[in-house]
Every structure is written in structure tokens, then in C-alpha cells.
Amino acid sequence: MDNQPISRFPVPDIADLPDDIRERILAVQEKTGFVPNVFVGLAYRPDELRAFLAYHDALLERDSGLSKADMEMIIVATSAANNCLYCVVAHGAILRIRAKNPLITDQVSVNYRNADISDRQKAMLDFAMKIRDGGHTVETSDFRFMKEHGFSDDDIWDIGAITALFALSNRMASLMALRPNDEFYRLGRDQG
Amino acid sequence: MDNQPISRFPVPDIADLPDDIRERILAVQEKTGFVPNVFVGLAYRPDELRAFLAYHDALLERDSGLSKADMEMIIVATSAANNCLYCVVAHGAILRIRAKNPLITDQVSVNYRNADISDRQKAMLDFAMKIRDGGHTVETSDFRFMKEHGFSDDDIWDIGAITALFALSNRMASLMALRPNDEFYRLGRDQG
Amino acid sequence: MDNQPISRFPVPDIADLPDDIRERILAVQEKTGFVPNVFVGLAYRPDELRAFLAYHDALLERDSGLSKADMEMIIVATSAANNCLYCVVAHGAILRIRAKNPLITDQVSVNYRNADISDRQKAMLDFAMKIRDGGHTVETSDFRFMKEHGFSDDDIWDIGAITALFALSNRMASLMALRPNDEFYRLGRDQG
Amino acid sequence: MDNQPISRFPVPDIADLPDDIRERILAVQEKTGFVPNVFVGLAYRPDELRAFLAYHDALLERDSGLSKADMEMIIVATSAANNCLYCVVAHGAILRIRAKNPLITDQVSVNYRNADISDRQKAMLDFAMKIRDGGHTVETSDFRFMKEHGFSDDDIWDIGAITALFALSNRMASLMALRPNDEFYRLGRDQG
Amino acid sequence: MDNQPISRFPVPDIADLPDDIRERILAVQEKTGFVPNVFVGLAYRPDELRAFLAYHDALLERDSGLSKADMEMIIVATSAANNCLYCVVAHGAILRIRAKNPLITDQVSVNYRNADISDRQKAMLDFAMKIRDGGHTVETSDFRFMKEHGFSDDDIWDIGAITALFALSNRMASLMALRPNDEFYRLGRDQG
Amino acid sequence: MDNQPISRFPVPDIADLPDDIRERILAVQEKTGFVPNVFVGLAYRPDELRAFLAYHDALLERDSGLSKADMEMIIVATSAANNCLYCVVAHGAILRIRAKNPLITDQVSVNYRNADISDRQKAMLDFAMKIRDGGHTVETSDFRFMKEHGFSDDDIWDIGAITALFALSNRMASLMALRPNDEFYRLGRDQG
């Protein structure tokens, strides 16, 4: 089904993209085996793509108190609540791989309350959902509660900021009706 | 992960169940290769399980204007909106098989508006979602709209009744915190 | 006003129905003095009606820790929240009779928080409303809370299952725009 | 059950009330046969009660394009959506009497979309519900729509203002947990 | 921009109004320097305007445990949640003046949880928001909570009744699309 | 009141910040007369601040079919719906200046449907609100509707992307409880 349109907006040819973006895309392709559609979808606006990638790397590649699996879990849970097809399918694949668990994505995206996760991860996702809802109801007592579960100020920032970045990302993907690559649907399902 | 609890309520031993139920369960096991947890979860109350299966068969095995894939699509879309893990995972597997499409379940469960479905199927799911919401806003104009998309009165009944049956089923599964069998997660993903 | 249509779908003649259904209907008529419209409305699909009645009897006629009045109270409170005219009016009549209280139905259907009910019944209805909302937010702490109010696992199942059955029933009644019999409106108002 | 508390706040003795209020209450009692609890509940603050009655009379006793039954229908439909027990029960009794219809209150309070009302009354209640929701989404096109259904500017004002007055009244009654007099529940059910 | 229409309904000439209303309007004009549009907008119906003013004065000019600034804070917070332009702008001006704080209105109207207010005022606004939402979820425990924050029964009534009166007022203003006078936007911003 | 905390997280000293960030901040300060708190609040994480500024500049400083005032209007309307104090107050100031209209911010933030804006701007804000809500309900018909109002694909992208960027920004500001500088509240109110 890969010949369905990737985006509601024009999709640039990789060859025509600015050098830095083309090189990043080719590096991803070499590592993953395919070019995730988010790169070519957002490349309609190279400056915005660059900023998005910079934000993404700053948050997701920093040395955090959250594990890589925790980060992807936040993305999947909040993107599912935002009904964002691209982010659930693409990051769902990454979550399965990071967590070495072929079941976790479907559990977290449908109802994380019944997923095979720890109490700490449950508290993390409850907080992320408050930020997903807008964040305006967050109070001092929420910070206290998170600290009781062992989260530092930096961890809380990471949870909030990842949720906030995907609040942006979900909206862009839904605006574009961005199509997930067929490859993502199956990645990470044969392990565990 | 199959040693996690299946239900919040006691789960009977198959050997101890009434004959008719045990036989039905063994027949399913022979065909599918495993016993779907809904059977043993609901068998805590044999009379209710019998009634559920009778309702299920009356609706899903009748000769309908809806295809088997259409029926499963209704179940997956409305169960996802109800955040029912068991029904999305189990019927999601059946949907992939019935539709001969490994991608369709994730698309329909996250955002059916962006799924690879026909306009007729889109109208069918829009109507199902009105019933999922309670059905009290359905008006004569909705029937007119459905008939313009080629649905008969019987088709409309089927859409509404399948949605209604899974309104029940979703609530029972969430009450039990019914665990989907691990097998369901991967079924039907390697075709297409 | 009994000459208004009973349902948006065709309503079968009682004489034309399968024997078992016709007999049940005539038995109800003999006992009650009229044929509740739900029988003829759902009889458009005899197999589904049979399954519905089997489910209904399995739940509402079992020997439960809930009283008959408790059961009807759950039906009225959740059906009112689902804006289901038939179920509020028909089961509202039964509730008045079972509770021997002519005021209880209007209280429970408009705002059960201000009804003349016990704290235990208030907890029961709070739990039922969580199931009505989908049930996906139910957590272990809800079970603990219910047990503190004296409910057993079986009682909790009954509360959840009755709510789930009427989640189905409300949706079917609203799909059909099922008309309550005029008789129901006044039943049980002259006692107490 | 009349010995239950009428209000969460102190309820004054009729004999102790200012003359004008006591006389109005006695006049109502003479006409109706009992003192509706709203009078004694709100009389905790005589000045506010006087203002409420003045507003009520200005709107509900004026010569309007709406019939008395239309006015009560607006009150019942919006008060039910606000879960206000007192207003649904008390004005529900008045609606049955004004409309000479023992069924209309239960129909309008549970789901006015399925009530035995005219298309014009349906449009009137749809508009009232927009005002109940806050009124901020009302647009010029709503006025056009209402005029196509034969409502004048004055009629539209009346619909909006009655809804607004009971937005106030519902909140006061729920704040007080104002108890409807037992008499209201049965009034007007034996006609038609 | 003062030549934009003040209301969707006809606006009477001050000279043509009944004496008592005209005198009150002229008194306000003398004190404030302009005629707030709510007077001429509501004067389309003199009897209703009189009742509204009587209610307003009974509540807002009584000797209360709430300060004048507290009262205006309730009006601004709940009117903002109701998206009522007139009330937020007009009472926002009064709040700035009463609280001698040029920032307070914008804080309270956008998110009172992050405003520079005391814990007691925060509890007051939380309670007001429950009444704004309809009031049907208020329970005995809310009264207990309020009393722990030092509010008397009379204070609680005042909070509820002010919220209820502006539930009415907001709906009338949005029905009329009542335009705030340009003067209100700037009042009270140059102090503090 | 400027001695209230700016953020729930530590706020770095400008002198300690990386050169590029410090220089940008000083440039803003020179132009505006003060350092907007968002710079020092987000500078807790310099890499994320850089990415945010890059995204912001890519979108808001590009040559767009939207005017600068249109862009700020989108930010104010969607940030108000997200109850984000910092963004409404800071961008509200910019909107007043860009639109040369001292009233526009309060109108757009409380209820843009009643604001002094064109039909085209109304359509723009309606679309932005769909993206604010998650964007998952956007359909082809929305694009058609926008094009009828004269918006190009690029304009639609800009509306969606600005809304998406502030979906992120609002959540970060609410997570931090970021305090708007006192200066913003009054900026742009004395013109027009």
C-alpha cells in the first residue's frame, strides 16, 4: 500500500533537499533500511524540519533519568490520546524495540492503565496525560507526588517536554494526514 | 508474559465448566490453537457467557449486508474509542485476517478518518461512533444519510447492534481488566 | 398517544413470532396487563431478542447481594445518563415498585447524588457510573473502596454487568427510538 | 418523606418573613394547596427571593409568542441537562398541566429529541441547549435558522432569557440541595 | 470602534426609558463617565433589567464575608470559563480597581490556578467553578472543605449565588453579543 | 510584583548562559526594554531553547500569506483555549501592537466569535481551533472550505504549524508556571 499519498501537502524529492537534511535522511535510511515519512513530509519546510530535529535530539538523546523505553512510552501514550496515526505507529515500533517487548505498544496505546508497566511508569504516564490535556491544571501537589515516585525536577521536565514536543508533532502529522511507512507496523513484533 | 493474571475475578478451570461451554471452548482451541481469554474470563458466570455467545453469534454470523471485515472494523473502531485493550487486540487480529490487511487494525484503532477505507466504510464508522456515544443523538436525517451510502435498514440495525454488543463487551473486559492472549498481538501481521 | 410508532424499524405481529417468544410475551402480558414495547421492538430479530432475554434473566433473576431495587436503581441512573427514554421510563416504573417508593425514580434519574438513598447505594451508583463511562479508568483502588462499603466480588461483578447490559440496551432503544408504553409512566406512583 | 431537610442552609419560618413575601407565599399555598419549597429555601435571603420572583414574573407572565407549555418545556429540558432535581420535578409538574399531557415531562427531561413535540419545539429546545451550554457559540446563522421556524426576535429573547434564568435557578437549587415537595412528583399525571 | 452594534437586539434610546431606569443610568454615567452597555442592552426589557439590578444589588452590595475584590474575582473567573466577553471585560475593569492590582484580571481570566491569589481565594474559585459547571456535583464534603478555609455558610451562599447570577448574566450577554464599552478595556491598568 | 518566582524550575543567570543565547537575549532586551521571561525560563535547557527559537523564527518570520497580526491572533486564541497565562499575556501584547488595536487581545482571548475580525480571520481561527483540539478530525472538506476563504496550502500549513508550535509552548509554560513580565500586561493598550 506504499503508493498511497504520504501527505496532504507536496512531498519534496530527497535529491532536491538541502545538503544537511539530505545527509541526515540518508544516514537514517542506511541505519533503518527505509526513510521514515516524517522526514520527507516535514521537509516541505526545511527550516522547520531542522528545528524539529534539533528539538527532538535535544530531548530524546540527552542523558536523562528516563530510559529510552520510558521516553517512547510517553510518546505512544500521549499520541494515542491525540489520535495521531503516524506517531503511534512509528514510535510504537521504536517502543517495542527499546522495551524489548512486542506487546507493550498496543497495551500503552489502548489503555496504559492495564499495561504491563511499573507503578513508577504509571505515575509518569498520568503526569504526561495532564500535560497532554494542556498542562494548566498542574499544581505543586503534582510535583510532590512525582518526587515521591523518585522523579527529579529534570525527569519531570523531560516528561513534560517530550509530551509537549509530541503535542506539536501529533498536530503536524494530523494536519498532513502523514502516512506511516508500512515497515513500521511490523517492526519489533517478533522478539521477546 | 502469559503468567500475568487474566482477570481481576476468579478464572475457572476449563475442566470444571459445564459441558456445553467446555465443548465450545475446546472447539475454538482446536481451530485457533489457543483458548481466547474472554471465554475463561466470562465463564466465571456460565449463564452470562452463554447469553453473550448467543448474542455474538446471532449478530456476527448472520447473513448481513456488511462483510465480516466491516463487522470487525466496527468492533475495533468503537472498542478503541472505549479504551478496551482486550477487544482491540483480539478483534484487531480478526480484522487483519478478515480484511487480509496487516495495517488496517492500527489505522482504524488510532484514527479511522485517516485509514485506508472506502467512503462507505467511513460513513459506517461515523454512524457506529454515534451509537458508541450513547445513540441518543441519532435522528431521522442520520438514517437518510446512511441510505444514500447504500445501507439498508437491516445494515443500519447491524451496525448499531454490533456497536451496542461491544459497548457491553468493552465494559465487561475493562471491569475484569481482561488480558488479551499474547498470540493475538501478532496474528495476521505477516500477510498482505 | 399509543398510536405513535413504537420503533424506527418494522415491528412484527405477535401472532407471527416464534412460539417461545410469543409465549414469553403472552406471559408478561398476563402478569403486567400489557406488552412492554421492548419485546416487539427487539422481536424484529428473534435470535437477538432471545439472547438479550437470556442475559437479562441471568443477571437480574440471580440470587445476588444486590436487592432488586438496587439493580433497578443502577439501570435507571445509568440509562438516564445515557439519555435513554425507554429504559428510564420502563425501569423507572419497576424501580418505584421494587423500592416501594414513588419518588425514587425521578430523584435517581435527575441527580442520584441528591436522592434519598444510603451511602452504600451512593457508592454503588458511583461505581456504576465509572462503568457507564467505559470502565477503562477502573483501578484496584476502586475495588478496595467498594469492599470497604461491604460489596463482595460478586456484587461488584453484578453492578458492572448490569451497567454493561444496559449500555447495550440503551443503545438499541435509542437506535430504534423505542417508545415506552404509556402505562409505564404512571406505574408505582400511587403507593408509599 | 417530607421530614427530610429542605435545604443545606437554614430555612426560615414563614411567620417570620417580611410581609410581602409571606403574603405571596400564602397566596401560592391557597392556590396550589402547599408551599413550594423554593419559596422557603430562597427566603433565607429575602432580597434575593424578591429579585428572583420579579425576574420570574417578568419573563414567564409576559404576553409571549411562546405558549406557557413551551416555556415550561424549556425549563424542564435545560434543568434536566443541568441535573437539577428541584426544577425538573417542580416545573415538570407544571409542564404536564400546561401541556395537558402526562407523558411530556419524562420525555423532555430524558431525551427531548424523541419526545412528542413539533419540529418548531425541537428547534426551540436546540437553541435553548446552546444557551444552556453558555451561549458563546451562538452566531448570526442561529438567528436565521430560528426565524425560518417562525420565531421572532422577541421569541428568541424569551427562549434565551428563560434558559438563562434557570441557569441561575438550577445552580441555586443544587447549591442548597433543595428538596422538591413530594406533591410535585404526582401532579398532572392523571389527565390526558 | 464605538460605532459597532452594541447588541443583536434593538437598543432603546435612554430618553425613552421609564423614569426609574433612566435615572439609574444617568447616575451611573455621572459616576463612571459613560453608560455601561449592559444597561441599554438589557433595557430592551425594562422589567427584566429592574429584576436583574435588584438581584445584583442584593448580592454585590450586601455586607458579606467576601471582599468586593473577592466578588469580582468570582465573576471574572466564571465568566471567562463561560467565554463571556462583556462580563470579563467590564467586571475585569472593576476587579483591577477593587483589588488595586492591574495584573489580576488577566491572571484570573486565563488560569486562576497560576494567579497571585491566596490559598483561600483559590479554594473560593474552585468552589465557584463547581457551581459554574451546574452545581449538581456539590456534596457535603465540599461544604466541610470550605469551612476549613474559613468560609461561613453565608460566604458559601454568596460564592454560589454570585456564580449563579453571572451564569444568567453571561448567557444574556452572549445571546445579545453584548459589546463591552471601549472604556472598560483600559480602566484600572495604570495603578499598582 | 516582579519578585514572584518566574518558573517552578531553576532560572539561570543571564551572565552564565552560552554566548549565542546571551547575545540573543541582550538584543531582545535592547529592543524591548526588558527580557521576556520565556527566555530565562527555557534557558534552563539551552539546547531546547535554541531549537524553540529556531522553530519560532522559521514560522513567524517567514514571508507568509498571513499577516503578522493574523499570526499573533492564532497564538492568542489557541493559547487562551489552552489556559496558558504566559502566552496570552505576552503574545496578547504583541497582537495589540501588530494589529494596532488595543481591544483585540481581550476580544480574541475571551470569545473570538464576537471579536472585531473579518470573516476570513474567523475561518482561520476556526481551523486553528481544530488543530488545537488535536487535529485528528481535519478532513479534506476543511481544506476545501479554507481555500474558498482564499487560503493557500502554504497559509493552511502556517495556521496549523503556528497552532502546533504553541501547543508545545503552552504546555512548557504551564509546566513551568512561567510568569509573564509585568510589562506585557500594559503594552499596546494606549494606541488606536
Side-chain angles (χ1 to χ4, degrees), chain C:
Chain C
M1 270 159 268
D2 269 332
N3 53 3
Q4 298 262 352
I6 285 173
S7 167
R8 285 181 179 130
F9 293 86
V11 172
D13 219 311
I14 294 175
D16 301 337
L17 290 171
D19 288 357
D20 60 325
I21 293 180
R22 195 181 56 249
E23 278 158 30
R24 169 127 188 196
I25 289 179
L26 296 178
V28 172
Q29 186 176 28
E30 192 165 304
K31 189 177 155 202
T32 317
F34 61 95
V35 180
N37 288 338
V38 68
F39 287 95
V40 288
L42 284 178
Y44 176 61
R45 293 277 181 91
D47 289 346
E48 297 168 36
L49 173 55
R50 273 188 205 99
F52 178 76
L53 293 173
Y55 219 131
H56 179 276
D57 295 352
L59 266 172
L60 298 180
E61 298 185 0
R62 75 185 292 274
D63 200 25
S64 165
L66 308 180
S67 71
K68 297 293 183 207
D70 286 344
M71 291 176 173
E72 296 298 325
M73 207 178 276
I74 293 167
I75 297 171
V76 169
T78 60
S79 298
N82 288 337
N83 301 100
C84 178
L85 182 61
Y86 187 87
C87 298
V88 172
V89 171
H91 286 274
I94 306 176
L95 172 57
R96 282 189 295 269
I97 293 169
R98 294 275 192 253
K100 299 188 201 316
N101 179 339
L103 313 185
I104 193 70
T105 289
D106 292 332
Q107 292 177 355
V108 165
S109 68
V110 180
N111 188 0
Y112 71 89
R113 290 170 204 80
N114 289 345
D116 296 324
I117 59 177
S118 66
D119 281 356
R120 186 179 184 271
Q121 287 170 324
K122 170 78 170 40
M124 175 184 83
L125 294 181
D126 282 343
F127 187 82
M129 294 308 260
K130 273 206 162 182
I131 300 295
R132 187 203 78 90
D133 288 343
H136 61 290
T137 64
V138 170
E139 307 210 40
T140 311
S141 56
D142 294 301
F143 277 69
R144 232 174 10 238
F145 180 81
M146 290 299 280
K147 285 172 184 179
E148 286 166 19
H149 277 80
F151 293 101
S152 68
D153 266 338
D154 264 310
D155 297 340
I156 297 174
W157 178 290
D158 285 343
I159 297 168
I162 292 170
T163 305
L165 180 61
F166 281 84
L168 177 158
S169 182
N170 294 167
R171 282 160 178 80
M172 289 310 299
S174 287
L175 173 68
M176 293 188 271
L178 185 66
R179 185 177 179 81
N181 306 59
D182 289 7
E183 289 87 345
F184 279 126
Y185 290 81
R186 212 176 314 178
L187 273 177
R189 295 204 184 265
D190 298 318
Q191 53 175 338

Side-chain angles (χ1 to χ4, degrees), chain F residues 8-20:
Chain F
R8 287 183 178 126
F9 293 87
V11 172
D13 220 311
I14 294 176
D16 301 338
L17 289 172
D19 288 357
D20 60 325

